[in-house]
Amino acid sequence: MNRIAFIFPGQGSQAPGMGRDVATDPAVENIYRTADRVLGFELSRICFDGGAENLRDTSVTQPGVFVTSLVFDRLLRERGISPAVVTGHSLGDYTALVAAGAVEWTTALRLVRRRGELMAKVNRYTPGAMAAVLGLPLDRVEELCEDVSSRPGHFVQVANINTADQTVVSGDEAGVSALVKAAKSSDARDAVPLKVGAPFHSELMRPIEEEFASHLDKEEFQAPSIPVVSSVSGEYIESGEEARALLRAQPTAPVLWSKVLRLLVDERVSTLVEVGPGRVLTNLARSEAPRTPAMRVGTLRALDKAVERLRPHSA
């Protein structure tokens, strides 16, 4: 049986002009107007016409990626392509929960905006960084993190387990810089600093935990209407309360993306469709699950190609 998985990207997938080529489609035009009204600023203008610097502000980036992903989810469904299962990478968990009917989209948008604001606030008083380490096994990266963190004034930890070949680390600037050097000295194929706005998925996010939890606790979550795989647990979300608890843990918990992909492969998903800007998740899928076809849908051209290819196989 053909089973399509929609996989939703997180921060780092943003790009100037995202969503502009579909903004006038009647199916999504109102989404942008509503998002601008809910947020109190013209997110649509920043997404369509802003430069890379405009999109580096975490409190803007996260709503931008979320809304753009939601728009392409809507466009695929309007064209008869529906998922059998959904998941998301970090921020993408919110889009996945909306796609599964577990939370209303404007509620999720407000939460995403507040999440971004709080994460940016952390970076102002504890400047942080992230880096991708390629070509070292996870246990070796963990050893290097422990060694670097034992030095005074240094902290770094594993933040994303993306594939067997790629691990992302997060921490303070000194810790991540030292880890990059240590990884290269340990025969990593590469270690690359990432252009992000804060030390996501690390203990440095602990100060915002209670405040963000207070916002989550005010909102209503339902049991998903279609299967959702959490990037926090790498397992299915069974209830609204579980969804809330996983989102509460998300800022400090590592992203278990490799585990998510293995679950989808084991469940015999036929095609992985990255729904939203960029190609980060498509590239990871091709590395970790090369036998499962993967494609991205984040432009009008890619949308048309995906519809032509997938329409006979929609769930």
Side-chain angles (χ1 to χ4, degrees):
M1 182 176 70
N2 291 302
R3 303 180 71 240
I4 297 169
F6 282 5
I7 57 178
F8 297 102
Q11 187 159 339
S13 292
Q14 68 273 8
M18 60 184 180
R20 182 171 54 204
D21 58 355
V22 295
T24 58
D25 190 295
V28 300
E29 202 171 8
N30 190 53
I31 293 178
Y32 287 112
R33 287 198 297 266
T34 301
D36 290 349
R37 186 174 67 250
V38 168
L39 294 173
F41 66 92
E42 288 187 283
L43 177 70
S44 57
R45 181 182 58 80
I46 297 172
C47 289
F48 303 159
D49 302 318
E53 282 302 312
N54 301 110
L55 290 170
R56 288 195 67 181
D57 181 346
T58 297
S59 65
V60 174
T61 306
Q62 295 193 18
V65 172
F66 168 80
V67 172
T68 303
S69 299
L70 184 67
V71 159
F72 281 99
D73 172 76
R74 180 71 58 84
L75 290 170
L76 281 165
R77 292 171 190 259
E78 286 284 327
R79 288 156 174 75
I81 311 300
S82 298
V85 58
V86 294
T87 188
H89 191 285
S90 186
L91 166 67
D93 278 335
Y94 287 82
T95 326
L97 288 167
V98 171
V103 62
E104 199 271 329
W105 82 267
T106 57
T107 297
L109 176 61
R110 286 191 295 270
L111 288 170
V112 164
R113 167 67 170 173
R114 191 61 183 139
R115 178 184 189 264
E117 290 173 334
L118 290 171
M119 287 180 165
K121 179 181 174 182
V122 168
N123 206 54
R124 285 195 292 272
Y125 58 77
T126 308
M130 299 179 75
V133 179
L134 309 177
L136 285 183
L138 174 61
D139 57 358
R140 181 57 180 148
V141 177
E142 290 174 332
E143 289 174 0
L144 293 175
C145 286
E146 290 181 13
D147 178 65
V148 169
S149 297
S150 68
R151 307 173 194 174
H154 291 67
F155 175 76
V156 63
Q157 70 179 82
V158 169
N160 301 352
I161 306 170
N162 282 335
T163 69
D165 195 49
Q166 184 191 116
T167 304
V168 173
V169 298
S170 180
D172 58 37
E173 291 178 341
V176 172
S177 178
L179 190 283
V180 167
K181 293 177 182 177
K184 290 180 178 179
S185 297
S186 298
D187 296 325
R189 188 167 71 254
D190 206 352
V192 184
L194 302 179
K195 294 180 180 180
V196 295
F200 305 127
H201 303 291
S202 79
E203 284 297 315
L204 297 181
M205 288 286 148
R206 190 68 66 186
I208 70 170
E209 192 171 53
E210 288 188 17
E211 183 176 354
F212 188 59
S214 71
H215 292 281
L216 283 166
D217 290 344
K218 294 174 186 176
E219 305 298 350
E220 184 175 357
F221 289 82
Q222 307 290 338
S225 59
I226 61 174
V228 182
V229 183
S230 164
S231 69
V232 177
S233 65
E235 299 175 354
Y236 289 111
I237 297 174
E238 302 294 343
S239 68
E241 281 306 308
E242 185 181 5
R244 190 200 314 275
L246 288 165
L247 293 179
R248 188 182 295 122
Q250 194 189 66
T252 58
V255 176
L256 305 182
W257 194 245
S258 177
K259 184 177 180 181
V260 170
L261 291 175
R262 289 198 304 271
L263 184 151
L264 295 176
V265 170
D266 290 345
E267 297 275 315
R268 300 187 182 278
V269 165
S270 59
T271 308
L272 299 165
V273 183
E274 181 174 10
V275 182
R279 59 172 73 239
V280 172
L281 302 187
T282 303
N283 291 340
L284 293 178
R286 288 172 178 169
S287 171
E288 188 77 349
R291 295 185 179 181
T292 302
M295 66 178 68
R296 65 187 183 98
V297 177
T299 65
L300 178 59
R301 182 180 179 184
L303 173 69
D304 290 340
K305 288 176 65 177
V307 170
E308 182 179 353
R309 178 175 170 184
L310 295 173
R311 181 172 281 149
H313 307 304
S314 63

